[in-house]
């Protein structure tokens, strides 16, 4: 699938602050594109405009300017809503409902019949590990359980596009891993996932593309592998190369040990020369790949560039 | 309509959870206490007096409940953020507002019906007479509450709860004095400024005195079916107007 699931062009949104007539910009000319079938991550520090962007996508607030589409329909067009699921940050639900009743309620809004609602509820509660607590009212749930319920209700209509605001919020490491597995499984099922997250490792592990926003603007946008790649640099991993450090030092920009192997960061133009030395010294070649920085490095670099 | 019904049912469930339906027991106690304080009339007089005073109390309970039930429907959901999970589903803002309103209306219908039954039983027990005409009075109180609830819901789309309660009480009072006080100000008043103020209040506000038929129910055989039909139409007109105004504010509101 290659079409756009979400497309925003030059979106602007500002708010009045208190009684002042002055308006404070929350989003300033944000553009992004999420392709169908991918996992997209929206990243940014607090107050960067992530939640405002999600609210605009969902028609909860309205942009001052700009345009966009969600599943091929213009922003705010509710006909696309039957094909999307939403998990709000720190989900709030009717506390007097049980998980089963809650899923039944949300299922009704999608026109699902009673049998469909019952079977989907059972399947989703199993998937998020809430089967045993399904008879409890939601006001008795822990934060993690509410988060799991939130994911279940976001999937009740078997959506094409799932929008998630901090999906791992409040979950322990095991829960976070389970969420990552669910995200990957949803992608395998052909769903598009738009997630906003502070958890850089989660994003790095699951996302195909990202947009880093700061002060309402997109400062990095694109395929995650491309963004993390360091242009002109290659990572050569050899075993036992630390002993031959001196022979390689003139060709290597950075050398470090990792998991019993030696990781060399070299100019791409020097790769063959490094391999010649490695062959001469009979070092075992583990891998050659384009150099990558971490998402954290990219994130900090992008934010610093804006002078934050 | 399906979404509207689902939302309305949810409002009723929430009211049940908040134990607001228990107010009917409080009402029953209040009516019983009042009936014991009444002077000893002959049976016919007692029946008339009981009906009159019980309906006045029903009206008071009904109006207070209409405000209590409506004032936080929308702001409460915005504050608790439960609204995000509704409006991100295929639920339009008009369906949302209408569903909330119909839920409040269902609450009022349940509560007022039980109150009517309580009065019926009390009058039968204290005055040894069956008075189904009571339900005419309960019905018009329901219509009055429907107007109050619609007005309150409209205000709740933009006003804070305290402002809303204050404005709704003012609205209620103005709508009750309009036939008398406002009419006199308009027709007989000499001050041009007060006339300018009285004009919109007189012509644009509903006349809630139309719904006060406790005298007719208490002391005669009630009102005609034609009258009930006319005041029903009048109530529907204002309910539609207030809900429409509420929708105009709410449809583009940033939440």
């Amino acid at each position: 699938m290659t079409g756009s699931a979400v497309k925003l062009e030059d979106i602007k949104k500002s708010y009045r602050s208190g009684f002042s007539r002055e308006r404070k910009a929350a989003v300033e000319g944000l553009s992004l594109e999420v392709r169908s079938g991918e996992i997209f991550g929206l990243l940014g520090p607090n107050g960067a405009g992530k939640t405002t962007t999600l609210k605009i996508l969902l028609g909860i607030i309205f942009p001052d300017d700009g345009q966009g589409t969600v599943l091929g329909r213009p922003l705010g067009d509710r006909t696309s809503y039957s094909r999307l699921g939403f998990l709000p940050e720190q989900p709030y639900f009717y506390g007097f409902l049980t998980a089963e009743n809650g899923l039944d309620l949300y299922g009704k809004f999608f026109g699902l019949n009673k049998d469909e609602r019952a079977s989907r509820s059972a399947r989703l509660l199993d998937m998020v590990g809430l089967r045993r607590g399904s008879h409890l009212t939601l006001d008795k749930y822990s934060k993690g359980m509410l988060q799991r319920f939130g994911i279940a209700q976001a999937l009740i209509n078997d959506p094409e596009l799932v929008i998630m605001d901090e999906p791992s919020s409040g979950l322990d490491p095991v829960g976070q891993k389970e969420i990552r597995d669910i995200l990957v499984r949803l992608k395998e099922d052909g769903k598009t996932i738009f997630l906003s997250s502070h958890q850089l490792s989660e994003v790095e592990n699951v996302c195909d593309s990202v947009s880093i926003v700061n002060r309402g603007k997109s400062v990095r946008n694109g395929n995650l592998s491309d963004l993390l790649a360091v242009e002109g640099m290659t990572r050569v991993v050899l075993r036992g190369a630390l002993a031959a450090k001196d022979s390689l030092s003139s060709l290597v920009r950075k050398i470090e040990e990792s998991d019993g192997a030696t990781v060399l960061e070299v100019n791409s133009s020097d790769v063959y020369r490094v391999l010649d030395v490695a062959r001469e010294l009979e070092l075992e070649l583990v891998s050659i790949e384009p150099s990558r920085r971490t998402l954290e490095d990219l994130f900090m670099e992008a934010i610093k560039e804006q002078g934050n | 309509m399906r979404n509207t019904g689902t939302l309305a049912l949810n409002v009723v469930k929430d009211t049940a959870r908040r134990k607001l339906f228990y107010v009917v027991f409080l009402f029953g106690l209040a009516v019983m206490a009042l009936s014991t304080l009444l002077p000893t009339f002959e049976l016919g007089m007692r029946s008339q007096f009981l009906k009159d005073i019980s309906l006045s109390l029903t009206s008071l309970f009904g109006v207070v409940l209409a405000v209590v039930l409506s004032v936080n429907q929308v702001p409460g959901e915005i504050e608790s953020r439960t609204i995000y999970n509704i409006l991100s589903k295929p639920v339009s803002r008009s369906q949302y507002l209408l569903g909330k309103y119909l839920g409040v209306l269902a609450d009022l219908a349940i509560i007022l019906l039980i109150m009517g039954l309580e009065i019926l039983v009390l009058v039968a027990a204290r005055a040894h007479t069956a008075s189904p005409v009571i339900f005419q009075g309960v019905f018009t109180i329901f219509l009055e509450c429907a107007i109050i609830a619609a007005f309150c819901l409209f205000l709740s789309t933009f006003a804070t709860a305290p402002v809303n309660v204050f404005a709704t009480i003012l609205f209620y009072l103005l709508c009750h004095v309009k036939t008398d006080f406002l009419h006199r100000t308009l027709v007989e008043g000499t001050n041009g400024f007060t006339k300018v103020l009285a004009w919109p209040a007189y012509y644009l506000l509903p006349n809630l005195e139309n719904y006060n038929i406790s005298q007719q129910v208490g002391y005669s055989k009630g009102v005609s079916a034609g009258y009930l039909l006319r005041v029903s139409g009048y109530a529907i007109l204002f309910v539609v107007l207030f809900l429409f105004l509420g929708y105009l504010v709410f449809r583009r509101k940033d939440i």
Side-chain angles (χ1 to χ4, degrees):
Chain A
M1 283 190 279
T2 53
S4 294
V6 175
K7 196 167 187 181
L8 295 180
E9 288 173 38
D10 204 19
I11 295 288
K12 293 182 177 124
K13 179 70 188 174
S14 61
Y15 295 105
R16 265 221 176 112
S17 53
F19 291 107
S20 162
R21 296 185 74 181
E22 206 175 302
R23 295 181 76 87
K24 189 174 181 298
V27 175
E28 284 185 278
L30 182 73
S31 299
L32 57 85
E33 183 174 5
V34 181
R35 305 194 76 75
S36 294
E38 73 174 3
I39 304 182
F40 175 89
L42 185 66
L43 304 171
N46 291 335
K50 302 189 296 293
T51 300
T52 302
T53 305
L54 293 192
K55 283 183 176 180
I56 288 171
L57 285 179
L58 294 160
I60 290 171
I61 60 174
F62 302 92
D64 300 333
D65 202 4
Q67 53 192 352
T69 56
V70 176
L71 295 172
R73 310 292 306 172
L75 285 176
D77 183 338
R78 309 201 83 81
T79 52
S80 63
Y81 288 24
S82 57
R83 296 186 287 144
L84 69 85
F86 172 54
L87 167 72
E89 186 186 6
Q90 296 174 336
Y92 298 90
F93 306 106
Y94 297 113
F96 58 92
L97 297 175
T98 63
E100 277 171 351
N101 291 340
L103 290 180
D104 189 64
L105 171 72
Y106 294 124
K108 280 181 188 170
F109 293 133
F110 292 101
L112 302 176
N113 67 40
K114 200 176 174 186
D115 292 340
E116 275 177 315
R117 296 199 302 271
S119 66
R120 287 191 190 189
S121 295
R123 187 170 50 78
L124 288 168
L125 288 172
D126 269 338
M127 186 181 93
V128 297
L130 282 180
R131 196 77 178 123
R132 283 203 314 180
S134 62
H135 61 286
L136 291 173
T137 53
L138 296 174
D139 54 6
K140 309 257 181 343
Y141 273 26
S142 67
K143 198 177 171 199
M145 288 168 86
L146 277 177
Q147 195 72 13
R148 288 163 190 267
F149 173 76
I151 290 167
Q153 65 78 32
L155 301 175
I156 189 72
N157 58 324
D158 193 19
E160 288 172 41
L161 168 66
V162 190
I163 298 175
M164 297 179 162
D165 200 357
E166 300 289 350
S168 298
S169 172
L171 296 178
D172 58 25
V174 177
Q176 289 179 13
K177 170 74 171 64
E178 285 170 3
I179 297 298
R180 279 203 296 275
D181 292 344
I182 289 173
L183 294 176
V184 171
R185 207 180 321 152
L186 290 173
K187 187 193 168 189
E188 284 168 2
D189 289 346
K191 302 194 187 308
T192 308
I193 297 161
F194 184 122
L195 65 93
S196 155
S197 180
H198 280 114
Q199 307 248 7
L200 297 179
S201 60
E202 174 181 79
V203 172
E204 194 167 353
N205 277 324
V206 300
C207 285
D208 301 301
S209 62
V210 297
S211 181
I212 300 175
V213 291
N214 191 31
R215 295 178 183 170
K217 285 181 183 158
S218 178
V219 287
R220 290 286 189 285
N221 214 343
N223 180 283
L224 186 59
S225 298
D226 294 346
L227 288 172
L228 295 182
V230 182
E231 208 176 323
M233 295 295 291
T234 300
R235 174 177 294 190
V236 179
V237 182
L238 301 168
R239 214 173 291 281
L242 208 56
K245 196 176 170 183
D246 293 342
S247 316
L248 292 164
S249 60
S250 61
L251 301 169
V252 173
R253 294 269 289 271
K254 192 174 156 194
I255 184 164
E256 61 186 22
E257 279 289 294
S258 174
D259 297 332
T262 310
V263 181
L264 312 172
E265 299 287 345
V266 302
N267 284 328
S268 299
S269 56
D270 291 333
V271 169
Y272 287 112
R273 292 166 68 192
V274 170
L275 291 178
D276 287 343
V277 174
R279 199 179 299 123
E280 258 175 46
L281 298 173
E282 295 182 342
L283 301 175
E284 182 190 343
L285 176 65
V286 178
S287 66
I288 304 176
E289 59 191 27
S291 284
R292 273 170 66 101
R293 61 193 134 184
T294 63
L295 183 56
E296 188 178 72
D297 291 338
L298 176 73
F299 183 83
M300 295 311 293
E301 176 193 295
I303 301 301
K304 273 182 191 157
E305 255 176 37
Q306 263 213 326
N308 191 10
Chain B
M1 203 58 208
R2 183 193 63 231
N3 287 343
T4 307
T6 303
L7 286 161
L9 186 65
N10 207 46
V11 170
V12 177
K13 282 181 183 170
D14 189 37
T15 306
R17 178 200 57 97
R18 290 195 287 155
K19 299 184 173 56
L20 272 172
F21 287 125
Y22 288 3
V23 81
V24 294
F25 297 117
L26 194 69
F27 173 80
L29 288 175
V31 176
M32 269 197 285
L34 268 177
S35 72
T36 56
L37 295 175
L38 289 180
T40 45
F41 295 121
E42 57 183 85
L43 277 183
M45 279 282 282
R46 190 187 293 172
S47 156
Q48 290 168 347
F49 208 74
L50 259 180
K51 281 188 276 185
D52 183 10
I53 204 155
S54 303
L55 281 178
S56 300
L57 203 62
T58 308
S59 175
L60 180 70
F61 267 70
V63 168
V64 171
L65 274 171
V67 175
V68 168
L69 288 167
S70 316
V71 71
N72 247 339
Q73 286 297 338
V74 177
E77 286 230 26
I78 292 174
E79 201 180 322
S80 68
R81 303 186 198 179
T82 45
I83 195 169
Y84 294 167
N85 241 17
I86 302 291
L87 294 184
S88 58
K89 309 272 186 281
V91 177
S92 69
R93 294 195 179 203
S94 56
Q95 287 173 336
Y96 178 81
L97 211 57
L98 190 60
K100 288 287 179 188
Y101 178 70
L102 292 180
V104 170
L105 227 50
D107 284 344
L108 288 168
I110 293 166
I111 291 170
L112 289 173
L113 186 69
I114 297 172
M115 285 179 176
L117 287 170
E118 284 176 331
I119 299 171
L120 196 71
V121 171
L122 189 81
V123 172
R126 307 282 297 183
H128 308 297
T129 170
S131 302
V133 71
I134 281 287
F135 285 102
Q136 279 195 350
V138 173
F139 178 66
T140 57
I141 290 168
F142 172 72
L143 293 176
E144 180 182 20
C145 292
I147 296 173
I148 300 286
F151 181 77
C152 193
L153 200 67
F154 153 54
L155 288 190
S156 77
T157 57
F158 61 90
T160 60
V163 171
N164 190 347
V165 171
F166 181 76
T168 306
I169 291 170
L170 193 67
F171 169 78
Y172 173 79
L173 293 175
L174 275 174
C175 293
H176 270 285
V177 298
K178 68 171 282 178
T179 43
D180 188 16
F181 173 71
L182 288 178
H183 185 258
R184 256 190 287 139
T185 308
L186 210 60
V187 176
E188 298 162 16
T190 49
N191 186 332
F193 182 67
T194 47
K195 273 191 166 186
V196 168
L197 284 180
W199 189 89
Y202 185 76
Y203 287 105
L204 299 179
L205 296 177
N207 181 2
L208 293 185
E209 273 302 308
N210 286 338
Y211 301 98
N212 181 8
I213 59 167
S214 57
Q215 293 278 320
Q216 293 93 314
V217 170
Y219 302 104
S220 69
K221 289 179 180 171
V223 292
S224 67
Y227 181 84
L228 291 177
L229 214 60
R230 274 200 304 281
V231 291
S232 299
Y234 187 71
I236 290 169
L237 191 77
F238 279 98
V239 165
V240 169
L241 173 71
F242 291 138
L243 290 183
F244 181 67
L245 290 175
Y247 169 68
L248 288 183
V249 177
F250 192 59
R251 76 192 173 109
R252 296 289 294 179
K253 185 183 172 77
D254 284 341
I255 294 168

